[in-house]
Amino acid sequence: MRAFDFAVPHDIDDALGLARDESAFLAGGTTLVDLMKLEVVSPEQVIDINRLPLHGIRPEPDGLRVGALERMEDVARHPAVAGPYPVIAQALLASASPQLRNMASIGGNLLQRTRCGYFRDVATPCNKRSPGTGCPAQHGDNRGHAILGTSASCAATHPSDLAVALVALEASVRLRGADGERTMPLADFYLPPGDTPHVENRLRPGELITEVIVPPLPWAGRSRYVKVRDRQSYEFALASAAVAVDLHDGEVRDARVAVGGVGTVPWRLPAVEDALRAGRSHEEAAALAAAGARPLAGNAFKVTLVQRAILRALTELAGPR
Amino acid sequence: MRSVNREDGPVKVTGAARYAADHHPEGLAYGYLITSTVARGTILGMDTAPAERAPGVIAVYTPFNPLRLHPYTQADTAELLPPLQDDRVCYYGQVIGLVVAETFEQARDAAALVTTRYDAERPRASFTAGLPNATPPSGGTPETDVLAPGVTSIDEALAASDVSITETYTTPAETHVAMEPHATVASWTGDRLTVHTASQGVRLPVERLTESLGIDAAQIHVINPYVGGGFGNKWGTWAHTPLTAAAARALGRPVKTVLTREQVFTVIGHRPITSQTVSLGAAADGTLVAVKNDGISSKSAANDFYESVADLSLALYGSANLHVSRKVVTMDVPATTIMRAPAESNGSFALESAMDELADALGMDPLDLRLKNDTPSHPVSGLPWSSKHLEECYRVGAERFGWSRRSPRPGTVTDGDWLVGLGMATATFGASRGEASIEVRLRDDGRAVVSGAAADLGTGQSTVFAILAAEVLGIPVDRVTPVLGDSATPPAAKAGGSGSTSANGPAVRLAAEAAKEAVVKLAAEHEKSPFRGEAVTYADGEVRGGGDAMPFGELLALLGVPEVEVTATSPRHPRREHAFRSFGAHFCEVRVNRWTGEPRVARWLCVVDAGTIVNVKTARSQIAGGVVMGIGQALLEDLRIEPDTGRFGNATMADYLVPVNTDIPPIDVEFLNYPDTVLSDLGARGIGELSIVGAAGAVANAVHNATGRRVRDLPITLDKLL
Ligand SMILES: Cc1cc2nc3c(=O)[nH]c(=O)nc-3n(C[C@H](O)[C@H](O)[C@H](O)COP(=O)(O)OP(=O)(O)OC[C@H]3O[C@@H](n4cnc5c(N)ncnc54)[C@H](O)[C@@H]3O)c2cc1C
Ligand code: SF4
């Protein structure tokens, strides 16, 4: 870890005023401090945002609002989340460990960095960490890597479980920078790697995530997050599926499906949703999940696994079909 | 059976126990290792100037500015060469430098400023690619054959058997991930060296330091009473230890070097990769007539350790014809070394899987097949087992686990979305009784101090010392102070080969008996003794004579003798007339998700025949711990080597998966507790490694029973079951 300046602003404008290009905001620190220790990131200034008023879990007419500094565990356990949006609560509770969830914030969760082993090891090249140095994962250790949205420059997965659930629910993020405030769908917020894997999202330097907004979806009470991994806990997803279904008399009338652990960004699957809406069988619908997949040597199994994860979620929500 | 709380439990739970890295002698400087980022080649140069200028830096040692270390002369499970003595790189992550600074952070930050230029060569980093060129091990026996009269080859015996199977089984590299990272703190007083270093036996670093520093063993004092797990990786004395001691000598101040988690993966050795091609031939009734295992192990170019992985096939089931071969694939990877049940745990995965496959081919219950081939004597030497109750393990286990509920048809039992299977395997591990010396001091405060240069890696060994001494001395266990991990105490058995209790236990008893005799003699002869001239005896912690009795502590106080000190040595057992092994039976239930393929272990039973159990509480933990590690071996552990670079692809604790709590079901452990009186009066064999042996085979067999899929390449991950 390199030496850095440390600031603890008490209001949002102060925080935004302090921010420079080489600053990093500190929330729970479970990603930031980790990466600073590994020297994957070495900010000159760390701005602790924990005193900022970015709290609150409030159901409002236009949707559920969750402050960026709310902790993962608190959000998962909140009745305004667990009842109407089980998929969010399940995604959170399947993440990390209780200790980490008590520290880690919602804003930080959405901005966590990939778990690609090359990204995290500064002795190796990595386009995402050091643009232009190459992507050893293409021919190296890539069992955990993405099969969807990849490029020759990068095949790293976005690791957040929460983001997968939020994308399925068409959630938005509120951003605030020195130039003002904007809101954008989370699905648009994330950027696939293309030739610039170091640019992961549309957040501008010095901009804060202030809030997450989950629009109302009356049938989201029937939703499920299936996370598949080698061990039963404390591991990122090999594949995951966030699924909600609108079920009438055993028939799926509408559905939301997004998958994780397989995409370079949280991956919504409109084709699968359309197929379900059109009354196709679960198998037929799930078979569309990996369309366009580009597996690497070590992760071809994810093509099947992601379909199975969706099938498992659908079966648990709607019974076998 | 006794169940005694760990003597060292309170200090460990409260954090008062001081591990190697917890020592901060006056004037301490901090070392940080620099490691290579190529797997094979020559170091052309290292730019250390920026590091030398960095704040707090005291010294930067590299092959171009080395600390002089003499060549190692004794074989060890660690490396063959001391660090920094030449410019060659033999593996990715090799120690190529040491930065010493005023603080740990300064040393670490300076180390990051050192740049290294290599002339890199293509490493031999693929085991699979090396298989066709596998060679017989240098110095080892390439093949062992035992053939029935008139049989000319094992293949002939196989061809003549009613039923046979042949399959190849592989196991990946594994690493120990003990909780405590390796650390060495070295300080010199004149020409005397004091070292706190994580070790499975304090005399091991003494040997390494003697040869590499060129000083006498008498000048070296190694102290390490608490060890945060070893599993074999603290047997070898690794590069950082001599380097740190040499730096402390050169700088004239104490130096501490603690490995980072990531460094532990490469600076310390790993379990080799293995491949076994096993053929079993049997008569129609299940009697084995041919057992053949061609075993191949990876071996690091940096040292000579490999696993004789097929050898277990010579030692477990009776067969008229046996054949084993041994080969190695030499690779440019970190040292290959011992890890819990070296060779036997990998060996049993293949053998126990093959037995299941043979049972299938015979249409026989796998338990019946094992019962059929249980043997009263060693299959090769013909020597009778000293004490063997394996059949009882099988029967007790089958009853207790509900083995009869196993469906003979794989893939037929389901519970919701889960396919359910039962599996079993034999547990076994070699047993011995080494030489051990123990000192007992009876003190005038009524306490007994029992010392020996043994190690307690979390096994419960120190509590065993206390229990056995207390029993002989007739005092409560908490009046005994065990002292382990100090090289100034007598040479007790180190923690390895499951031989601590079998060797040290008898020695503790001998020494305690001798201490009793010494205090009796003192009572009878000392001029101030009230028992002088009486016929003195000792019982229940008291000296008795002439109708009077006095606790030994009171007597010593009265006589003004602070303590009575004796040392006794229990000799090595020559093992000429018997063969020695511990045995057991594993039973497990595994569930596999029918959609996503995750295998999850739901129930476990291990029935153990390991001789006398000295402390059932810690023994149970040892057995359960071995099962946990076996479940990791079966389902998760896989140290991946990148074929192009020789770099470990997952050398972090986030990426190298070991079980977490939710992966582990309730583990039921049953001890038969028959003393092995041929091995020693105490009758204890060993339990440290026994239960990892067979565990992976039991899981693989249960996975097959659940799904009909036979996975022959560990670990059994969900992608192999989709
Ligand atoms: C061992 C381990 C296991 C884990 N397992 C999982 C898992 O299974 N699933 C999963 O989803 N996650 C997992 N995580 C990741 C964890 O969820 C994230 O580290 C955590 O959510 C990050 O939140 P934080 O508040 O600690 O963020 P920080 O570390 O404080 O910040 C992370 C990043 O976000 C920025 N940031 C934080 N808040 C804001 C804001 N409001 N506005 C702008 N920028 C901001 C920071 O500058 C930094 O770049 C795991 C982490 C660890 C260490
Ligand atoms: S996959 Fe992406 S993060 Fe990983 S090495 Fe390649 S560029 Fe870096």
Side-chain angles (χ1 to χ4, degrees):
Chain A
M1 191 184 285
R2 304 271 123 190
F4 54 88
D5 295 334
F6 190 63
V8 191
H10 288 254
D11 68 52
I12 295 178
D13 289 330
D14 283 352
L16 296 174
L18 281 166
R20 317 190 290 254
D21 272 3
E22 297 303 318
S23 305
F25 293 123
L26 174 81
T30 61
T31 285
L32 183 67
V33 177
D34 184 22
L35 293 179
M36 286 171 69
K37 284 189 188 166
L38 296 170
E39 302 204 348
V40 171
V41 298
S42 298
E44 285 171 8
Q45 182 194 32
V46 173
I47 303 172
D48 180 351
I49 59 172
N50 286 293
R51 305 266 155 84
L52 306 187
L54 303 176
H55 292 281
I57 303 171
R58 299 181 310 274
E60 292 194 0
D62 64 342
L64 173 73
R65 288 167 174 263
V66 180
L69 284 175
E70 288 295 334
R71 266 45 190 175
M72 289 168 71
E73 188 75 18
D74 297 336
V75 176
R77 305 282 178 198
H78 199 283
V81 177
Y85 307 102
V87 66
I88 296 180
Q90 290 170 14
L92 286 168
L93 293 176
S95 301
S97 67
Q99 295 91 328
L100 282 159
R101 295 195 297 267
N102 284 330
M103 284 295 289
S105 68
I106 295 302
N109 184 289
L110 299 179
L111 293 172
Q112 65 178 291
R113 309 296 300 275
T114 184
R115 306 304 291 194
C116 170
Y118 301 103
F119 174 73
R120 293 170 59 82
D121 179 355
V122 294
T124 63
C126 166
N127 287 330
K128 191 187 270 301
R129 176 171 31 78
S130 312
T133 53
C135 175
Q138 304 284 344
H139 300 286
D141 197 63
N142 50 33
R143 181 169 184 265
H145 283 68
I147 53 172
L148 294 166
T150 59
S151 71
S153 298
C154 181
T157 56
H158 191 276
S160 167
D161 290 300
L162 172 67
V164 178
L166 292 180
V167 162
L169 296 171
E170 297 182 347
S172 304
V173 278
R174 282 249 291 224
L175 311 175
R176 187 156 150 195
D179 318 335
E181 212 163 38
R182 54 194 185 127
T183 302
M184 91 177 55
L186 190 60
D188 297 342
F189 179 74
Y190 292 115
L191 298 169
D195 296 333
T196 53
H198 58 290
V199 186
E200 293 179 355
N201 55 52
R202 294 186 195 275
L203 196 71
R204 296 179 188 136
E207 206 172 20
L208 278 170
I209 297 182
T210 55
E211 206 170 43
V212 171
I213 305 161
V214 190
L217 184 68
W219 42 273
R222 191 182 292 276
S223 64
R224 178 89 176 88
Y225 190 72
V226 167
K227 181 172 177 180
V228 188
R229 42 192 161 168
D230 289 315
R231 65 183 176 195
Q232 209 155 327
S233 173
Y234 206 35
E235 196 192 350
F236 289 88
L238 286 171
S240 69
V243 178
V245 291
D246 184 13
L247 204 62
H248 289 265
D249 303 326
E251 296 289 310
V252 174
R253 204 180 277 178
D254 202 351
R256 295 287 180 79
V257 180
V259 289
V262 289
T264 51
V265 296
W267 204 262
R268 177 101 180 254
L269 288 167
V272 176
E273 294 174 4
D274 289 344
L276 289 168
R277 236 176 265 121
R280 309 265 296 275
S281 74
H282 293 175
E283 273 80 9
E284 286 169 322
L288 304 171
R294 271 185 311 211
L296 301 166
N299 66 4
F301 71 95
K302 287 190 174 187
V303 171
T304 307
L305 187 64
V306 69
Q307 301 174 36
R308 299 285 184 81
I310 294 169
L311 272 174
R312 184 168 161 185
L314 284 170
T315 309
E316 286 173 12
L317 289 170
R321 238 182 64 91
Chain B
M1 278 180 284
R2 277 187 230 87
S3 182
V4 178
N5 286 341
R6 282 170 194 277
E7 159 285 320
D8 50 356
V11 288
K12 285 187 173 169
V13 171
T14 57
R18 292 173 77 207
Y19 291 82
D22 296 332
H23 291 86
H24 304 91
E26 185 72 28
L28 184 64
Y30 293 80
Y32 191 91
L33 299 173
I34 304 171
T35 55
S36 66
T37 54
V38 302
R40 180 181 165 124
T42 305
I43 304 175
L44 298 176
M46 292 174 76
D47 182 7
T48 55
E52 279 155 12
R53 284 194 303 269
V57 170
I58 302 164
V60 181
Y61 300 108
T62 66
F64 307 99
N65 174 33
L67 288 154
R68 187 89 198 89
L69 293 169
H70 300 281
Y72 300 153
T73 52
Q74 307 167 65
D76 186 334
T77 55
E79 290 161 279
L80 296 174
L81 298 172
L84 310 193
Q85 305 307 302
D86 60 41
D87 55 8
R88 282 299 296 172
V89 174
C90 312
Y91 59 87
Y92 195 109
Q94 172 183 319
V95 174
I96 56 168
L98 175 75
V99 178
V100 184
E102 296 293 340
T103 69
F104 167 76
E105 289 77 11
Q106 287 170 335
R108 181 196 58 195
D109 289 356
L113 300 176
V114 175
T115 47
T116 305
R117 283 179 306 117
Y118 302 94
D119 180 9
E121 298 154 27
R122 191 173 165 80
R124 295 162 294 175
S126 163
F127 181 71
T128 322
L131 278 175
N133 302 319
T135 54
S138 66
T141 320
E143 295 192 3
T144 303
D145 279 280
V146 176
L147 299 173
V151 177
T152 58
S153 78
I154 191 71
D155 291 332
E156 182 189 318
L158 276 168
S161 49
D162 295 338
V163 176
S164 70
I165 60 119
T166 298
E167 294 295 349
T168 297
Y169 306 86
T170 69
T171 64
E174 287 187 333
T175 187
H176 317 67
V177 283
M179 193 122 65
E180 178 201 20
H182 296 63
T184 298
V185 181
S187 46
W188 292 79
T189 311
D191 63 356
R192 306 189 77 81
L193 170 64
T194 303
V195 180
H196 300 273
T197 193
S199 171
Q200 290 181 220
V202 279
R203 288 181 300 133
L204 293 160
V206 170
E207 288 169 17
R208 258 295 184 257
L209 291 169
T210 303
E211 57 190 9
S212 54
L213 298 175
I215 59 175
D216 283 346
Q219 291 166 261
I220 304 172
H221 189 189
V222 176
I223 308 162
N224 183 46
Y226 302 107
V227 187
F231 314 114
N233 78 359
K234 288 168 185 159
W235 186 272
T237 301
W238 304 95
H240 64 287
T241 303
L243 211 49
T244 302
R249 176 162 68 180
L251 298 172
R253 59 190 283 193
V255 176
K256 164 155 86 175
T257 307
V258 184
L259 270 60
T260 65
R261 259 294 151 204
E262 288 72 23
Q263 288 171 350
V264 174
F265 280 83
T266 65
V267 175
I268 311 304
H270 61 278
R271 192 199 286 279
I273 306 170
T274 71
S275 163
Q276 298 169 77
T277 300
V278 180
S279 304
L280 300 178
D285 70 350
T287 306
L288 282 171
V289 293
V291 173
K292 177 185 184 188
N293 188 345
D294 292 313
I296 306 176
S297 165
S298 65
K299 185 193 86 66
S300 166
N303 74 335
D304 281 339
F305 179 83
Y306 66 97
E307 288 198 350
S308 282
V309 68
D311 284 21
L312 183 66
S313 299
L314 297 175
L316 190 48
Y317 300 112
S319 169
N321 302 283
L322 298 145
H323 164 96
V324 147
S325 71
R326 306 164 189 92
K327 279 188 177 169
V328 297
V329 172
T330 302
M331 296 173 67
D332 300 306
V333 295
T336 34
T337 195
I338 52 172
M339 180 165 153
R340 204 171 197 168
E344 298 209 0
S345 115
N346 281 333
S348 89
F349 164 65
L351 182 61
E352 294 300 304
S353 298
M355 284 294 275
D356 224 62
E357 300 206 52
L358 178 66
D360 237 19
L362 286 159
M364 216 172 152
D365 184 292
L367 177 62
D368 293 338
L369 179 64
R370 286 169 175 88
L371 281 164
K372 183 99 205 163
N373 292 288
D374 187 16
T375 158
S377 57
H378 191 284
V380 175
S381 70
L383 294 174
W385 297 112
S386 58
S387 165
K388 184 184 191 188
H389 304 273
L390 179 56
E391 180 175 341
E392 189 174 334
C393 293
Y394 291 142
R395 296 199 192 279
V396 167
E399 173 67 32
R400 186 158 166 159
F401 195 74
W403 182 251
S404 60
R405 292 203 298 273
R406 172 181 179 271
S407 164
R409 282 179 304 125
T412 53
V413 179
T414 57
D415 179 4
D417 281 345
W418 296 85
L419 310 172
V420 183
L422 302 189
M424 60 89 48
T426 306
T428 181
F429 195 72
S432 63
R433 190 190 88 205
E435 182 180 284
S437 298
I438 293 287
E439 175 193 271
V440 169
R441 282 181 286 144
L442 300 181
R443 294 197 330 210
D444 61 2
D445 61 358
R447 297 190 64 82
V449 181
V450 184
S451 339
D456 188 330
L457 316 179
T459 57
Q461 180 67 183
S462 58
T463 310
V464 163
F465 275 37
I467 290 170
L468 294 177
E471 186 180 69
V472 174
L473 296 169
I475 58 175
V477 174
D478 62 10
R479 293 243 306 272
V480 180
T481 306
V483 176
L484 286 78
D486 185 331
S487 67
T489 63
K494 307 158 192 126
S498 297
S500 286
T501 298
S502 65
N504 293 330
V508 168
R509 301 218 302 185
L510 275 182
E513 289 291 353
K516 270 174 24 180
E517 281 169 33
V519 80
V520 162
K521 187 160 184 284
L522 186 74
E525 295 175 1
H526 195 281
E527 55 184 11
K528 286 198 271 177
S529 169
F531 301 100
R532 189 167 186 191
E534 303 282 356
V536 184
T537 59
Y538 180 105
D540 298 335
E542 294 178 340
V543 175
R544 295 175 184 169
D548 262 349
M550 189 181 279
F552 70 78
E554 271 179 42
L555 176 73
L556 295 179
L558 182 76
L559 303 184
V561 176
E563 61 185 24
V564 170
E565 177 192 314
V566 298
T567 299
T569 299
S570 158
R572 196 176 74 82
H573 192 295
R575 294 195 287 179
R576 286 200 200 94
E577 283 152 24
H578 290 86
F580 298 85
R581 254 184 187 279
S582 288
F583 298 95
H586 291 294
F587 293 84
C588 70
E589 176 184 318
V590 174
R591 296 170 165 241
V592 178
N593 189 279
R594 76 180 172 102
W595 300 108
T596 43
E598 304 100 299
R600 301 288 186 237
V601 181
R603 273 196 310 140
W604 201 285
L605 167 66
C606 184
V607 185
V608 177
D609 169 32
T612 302
I613 298 304
V614 177
N615 183 6
V616 72
K617 185 161 191 173
T618 48
R620 198 203 160 278
S621 296
Q622 280 290 85
I623 296 297
V627 170
V628 171
M629 213 160 170
I631 291 174
Q633 176 187 25
L635 301 181
L636 298 169
E637 295 189 45
D638 179 4
L639 188 56
R640 297 192 292 269
I641 301 168
E642 296 176 357
D644 295 340
T645 64
R647 173 181 172 273
F648 288 146
N650 57 339
T652 74
M653 276 193 70
D655 300 314
Y656 182 82
L657 299 185
V658 295
V660 294
N661 274 322
T662 47
D663 291 309
I664 302 303
I667 297 171
D668 186 9
V669 179
E670 169 85 9
F671 293 103
L672 297 187
N673 201 33
Y674 293 116
D676 187 338
T677 50
V678 176
L679 186 64
S680 72
D681 289 349
L682 175 62
R685 282 197 298 262
I687 49 171
E689 290 157 287
L690 172 64
S691 70
I692 191 176
V693 181
V699 172
N701 295 341
V703 166
H704 177 259
N705 186 240
T707 63
R709 294 210 193 196
R710 175 61 63 181
V711 179
R712 302 186 183 89
D713 304 298
L714 291 183
I716 305 170
T717 43
L718 60 92
D719 45 299
K720 298 171 186 169
L721 297 171
L722 283 177

